[in-house]
């Protein structure tokens, strides 16, 4: 990276850094139940080495964590996962994977501050595990998409069936994905950015509409 030197007019900034300063960085949450694939998704799509805060599952944790259907899982996220992906030139996403267990939910309010939207990962074998995340984002009016992680041993359901089972608000997107695949994860994120953009634009227009009519 080129060094910058202060000149008479202030610090020099090269064109590359100018572009970086102008780039848009958006905060996205990746949420869902225990063992649904949040850490895997962040790691698969991140263009930087992801930051992980995982700990080995303990005997004490087995008393409160439901490992049914994910008996192979040996670690759990205790704070967050963090990664970054560039969607296109000038648009980057900062990804924050949330812990799935109820006892770590006090972290969610901090992580959700300033978020554009969220991905709620779902496993059709344990669909009820994503109910709390769906309720959380609906209550706080944070736009989200439901991404069904298609495990090989899970029965396949269509997007409409999943939407009905989760009783989602009208218009909430449901997409099928494989969180291990970078391109599949990227498509989920693109879908979220497009949907969240429409939601926030509609809210902005609603908020200024009455004022514009009164002028």
């Amino acid at each position: 990276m080129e060094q910058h030197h202060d000149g008479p007019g202030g610090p020099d900034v090269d064109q590359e850094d100018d572009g970086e300063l102008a780039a848009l960085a958006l905060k996205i949450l990746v949420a869902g139940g225990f063992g649904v694939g949040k850490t895997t998704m962040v790691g698969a799509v991140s263009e930087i080495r992801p930051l992980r805060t995982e700990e080995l599952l303990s005997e004490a944790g087995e008393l409160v964590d439901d490992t049914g259907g994910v008996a192979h899982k040996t670690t759990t996220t205790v704070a967050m996962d963090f990664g970054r992906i560039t969607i296109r030139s000038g648009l980057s996403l900062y990804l924050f994977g949330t812990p799935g267990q109820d006892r770590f939910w006090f972290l969610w309010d901090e992580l959700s501050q300033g978020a554009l939207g969220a991905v709620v990962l779902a496993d059709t074998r344990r669909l009820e595990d994503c109910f709390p995340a769906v309720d959380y984002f609906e209550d706080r009016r944070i736009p989200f998409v439901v991404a069904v992680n298609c495990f090989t041993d899970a029965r396949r359901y269509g997007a409409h069936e999943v939407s009905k089972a989760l009783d989602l608000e009208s218009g909430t997107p449901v997409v099928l994905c494989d969180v291990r695949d970078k391109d599949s994860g990227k498509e989920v994120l693109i879908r979220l950015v497009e949907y969240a953009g429409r939601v926030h634009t509609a809210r902005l227009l609603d908020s200024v509409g009455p004022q514009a009519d009164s002028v």
Side-chain angles (χ1 to χ4, degrees):
M1 182 178 291
E2 296 181 17
Q3 293 184 347
H4 303 151
H5 303 282
D6 290 347
D12 268 339
V13 180
D14 58 34
Q15 290 184 351
E16 180 181 351
D17 283 344
D18 258 336
E20 291 175 355
L21 290 173
L24 181 61
L26 303 175
K27 182 179 183 180
I28 300 295
L29 301 185
V30 180
F34 178 65
V36 75
K38 301 180 294 294
T39 297
T40 301
M41 181 178 181
V42 173
V45 301
S46 180
E47 61 197 20
I48 62 173
R49 183 177 180 181
L51 169 66
R52 293 172 175 168
T53 55
E54 290 195 308
E55 296 291 344
L56 291 173
L57 290 173
S58 64
E59 292 183 3
E62 290 177 358
L63 300 176
V64 292
D65 295 330
D66 179 11
T67 57
V70 287
H72 63 282
K73 188 171 175 60
T74 59
T75 61
T76 183
T77 299
V78 296
M80 67 173 184
D81 300 311
F82 173 77
R84 186 189 71 202
I85 179 174
T86 299
I87 296 296
R88 57 172 171 75
S89 178
L91 176 60
S92 297
L93 305 183
Y94 288 157
L95 308 176
F96 293 81
T98 65
Q101 300 97 311
D102 292 353
R103 67 183 187 278
F104 295 127
W105 270 42
F106 66 93
L107 295 169
W108 281 47
D109 288 338
E110 291 293 331
L111 291 175
S112 64
Q113 291 294 321
L116 174 78
V119 174
V120 176
L121 285 176
D123 178 354
T124 57
R125 300 169 303 178
R126 296 155 48 106
L127 197 58
E128 67 280 0
D129 287 1
C130 70
F131 285 170
V134 169
D135 290 342
Y136 181 91
F137 295 122
E138 284 185 344
D139 289 346
R140 289 158 181 78
R141 302 183 72 233
I142 297 175
F144 67 94
V145 302
V146 173
V148 180
N149 189 12
C150 297
F151 291 90
T152 54
D153 59 343
R155 181 179 172 184
R156 298 297 177 96
Y157 295 89
H160 177 72
E161 294 175 287
V162 173
S163 179
K164 185 176 180 180
L166 293 175
D167 193 25
L168 297 177
E169 294 180 352
S170 177
T172 303
V174 176
V175 294
L176 308 182
C177 70
D178 181 346
V179 299
R180 301 168 299 179
D181 182 75
K182 180 176 182 178
D183 290 337
S184 181
K186 185 175 180 179
E187 285 302 315
V188 171
L189 295 171
I190 291 173
R191 185 76 177 273
L192 171 62
V193 171
E194 292 174 344
Y195 173 64
R198 293 195 300 270
V199 170
H200 287 297
T201 298
R203 290 174 182 172
L204 179 61
L205 292 176
D206 285 345
S207 68
V208 301
Q211 297 178 10
D213 292 340
S214 64
V215 175

